[in-house]
Amino acid sequence: ADFRYVTSSCNETDWEQDHPHGRKDCNAMGGAYVEMLAVWVLLSTFYIPDSRYMHLNWVGIWAVFLATVIVWVQSDEGVTEKGKFDVYLTTFFMCSVNFIAMMRKWNMEEREVSSLVLELKQTDLSRHMFHLLEYMVPAFVITPMLQVPGGIVAKKIDCA
């Protein structure tokens, strides 16, 4: 996909001169740069340890926005309407990506907590069943019964 805005300062001769493959990204925030930031934000669900720290992505997004605006305003090209729209649209896109990442992180944590709760309940139920069966059958039979429900408990013993 070609994510470029052709502004007044970007003409066809610039395309061949400035990029080794004959392409130049002429918008205020380059498409490849935006894609890289979006992947960084989406992957933050794995490298940020807790959803309480996902707000750090907001700081990063707004820092990139401010840095882009400052560099862009000080550039020789000047501020154009297409450039403004591009910066605002890109910032909105990054905020949307961050919202998706935050929801994903929250869902991941909810699944982890629910699986932990289920595991704790299962452990508690197994312990309770063990104590109930302790009075009915010998202890060496209980463990295989709980580990393999419905399995064969009897062991073959060779007689001499």
Side-chain angles (χ1 to χ4, degrees):
D2 198 4
F3 300 100
R4 65 176 182 220
Y5 262 102
V6 179
T7 60
S8 59
S9 65
C10 185
N11 56 37
E12 288 301 318
T13 58
D14 290 339
W15 290 91
E16 290 89 26
Q17 294 172 355
D18 291 341
H19 196 279
H21 303 292
R23 287 189 253 152
K24 179 180 176 187
D25 210 352
C26 291
N27 58 357
M29 296 182 80
Y33 178 68
V34 173
E35 289 172 1
M36 212 170 42
L37 285 175
V39 168
W40 169 70
V41 169
L42 286 174
L43 288 178
S44 67
T45 59
F46 296 108
Y47 64 79
I48 292 181
D50 194 355
S51 63
R52 292 177 293 178
Y53 302 115
M54 289 295 286
H55 68 276
L56 296 175
N57 280 342
W58 292 114
V59 174
I61 289 170
W62 290 107
V64 167
F65 171 75
L66 290 175
T68 302
V69 169
I70 289 170
V71 168
W72 184 44
V73 167
Q74 292 178 355
S75 71
D76 296 336
E77 297 177 9
V79 178
T80 62
E81 288 302 316
K82 286 183 181 179
K84 281 183 188 178
F85 177 74
D86 180 46
V87 171
Y88 294 141
L89 183 66
T90 302
T91 304
F92 175 75
F93 170 72
M94 290 305 297
C95 290
S96 301
V97 167
N98 190 41
F99 180 74
I100 291 168
M102 289 175 72
M103 294 306 297
R104 183 176 171 188
K105 182 68 173 181
W106 184 78
N107 285 334
M108 285 171 56
E109 287 182 359
E110 285 295 315
R111 284 193 307 263
E112 287 175 3
V113 167
S114 64
S115 68
L116 176 66
V117 167
L118 287 174
E119 186 177 330
L120 290 173
K121 283 182 180 179
Q122 183 177 2
T123 304
D124 190 45
L125 286 173
S126 294
R127 187 177 298 119
H128 185 66
M129 282 179 71
F130 183 82
H131 291 303
L132 284 175
L133 291 173
E134 196 173 37
Y135 298 105
M136 296 184 219
V137 289
F140 66 89
V141 176
I142 298 173
T143 306
M145 285 176 58
L146 292 177
Q147 287 177 345
V148 185
I152 298 173
V153 179
K155 293 183 181 178
K156 184 176 180 180
I157 300 175
D158 293 329
C159 294

